[in-house]
Amino acid sequence: MKFFVDTADVDAIAELNELGMVDGVTTNPSLIMKSGRDILEVTKEIAGMVDGPVSAEVIATDADAMIAEGRKLAKIADNIAVKVPLTWDGLKACKVLSGEGNMVNVTLCFSANQALLAAKAGGTFISPFIGRLDDINLDGMELIADIRQIYDNYGYETQILAASIRTVNHAFQSAQIGADVMTAPPAVIKAMAKHVLTDKGLEAFLKDAETAGIKIV
Ligand code: E4P
């Protein structure tokens, strides 16, 4: 499974990148706002840090303006994936931008039918938002499973990018169902390393090592 990091915080990306945990990065206008930086400048810096796709989102809502913004974002670097919302205009922009050879991430997906349309429009990635469905008491994981089944039924190559991952269980279940990619905040990726029995076991081993006077270097 590929791991994308859902942040525009370059220090957090660098830390995970050193461990080989970063196959790509996703940003959105809210994450850019949080970084306090200019979108073109910070996106360029991130794209230079990682080898994989870096999603940068358009802010226009009509197709022609989205296409113009998408072309500008795509010029930042070869590894930019233009992020467009899953609206009818977003699908039009997806078709044009992907036809021009750009990676396109179709975002804000909340239904399997939306995901089917994104695949037909040539999306490179479809981003179903798990956490936001859970927020309104719907099952985000069911959506991932439905999309997986539909894409496999017809051999669509659009990659399922499980997004709005808020917990380590979201990460585990996305992998279990077979999402191609997940994008998660740095804190969630780091939390995947945590287990209470690991901490407890380590504490006991260290106590015994001290009692035994074990020294290695
Ligand atoms: C994905 O591309 C989005 O940026 C992100 O996963 C949204 O997550 P949120 O619902 O926690 O804001």
Side-chain angles (χ1 to χ4, degrees), residues 6 26 28 31 83 129 132 163-164 166 183:
D6 199 29
T26 51
N28 62 37
L31 294 170
K83 214 172 172 188
F129 274 34
R132 293 190 193 191
S164 189
R166 308 263 180 80
T183 187

Side-chain angles (χ1 to χ4, degrees), residues 53-74:
V54 174
S55 290
E57 187 161 346
V58 300
I59 50 166
T61 53
D62 74 277
D64 287 344
M66 278 191 224
I67 292 164
E69 288 182 356
R71 285 178 181 147
K72 184 164 179 181
L73 292 170

Side-chain angles (χ1 to χ4, degrees), residues 91-190:
L91 292 170
K92 284 186 195 170
C94 174
K95 181 76 183 157
V96 171
L97 291 166
S98 61
E100 291 174 355
N102 300 298
M103 288 187 283
V104 179
N105 176 356
V106 187
T107 190
L108 289 168
C109 170
F110 294 96
S111 80
N113 276 340
Q114 288 182 316
L116 181 53
L117 292 175
K120 291 188 76 68
T124 315
F125 301 102
I126 181 69
S127 290
F129 274 34
I130 295 168
R132 293 190 193 191
L133 281 169
D134 287 0
D135 286 345
I136 57 163
N137 290 325
L138 293 173
D139 188 349
M141 283 308 151
E142 214 171 275
L143 175 58
I144 301 288
D146 287 344
I147 300 171
R148 181 73 285 154
Q149 186 184 355
I150 290 169
Y151 281 9
D152 289 349
N153 282 348
Y154 298 99
Y156 287 118
E157 286 177 9
T158 301
Q159 296 179 51
I160 301 174
L161 198 178
S164 189
I165 297 266
R166 308 263 180 80
T167 67
V168 293
N169 278 342
H170 283 159
F172 159 67
Q173 289 174 310
S174 299
Q176 191 179 38
I177 291 168
D180 302 284
V181 193
M182 70 145 189
T183 187
V188 173
I189 294 176
K190 289 174 95 172

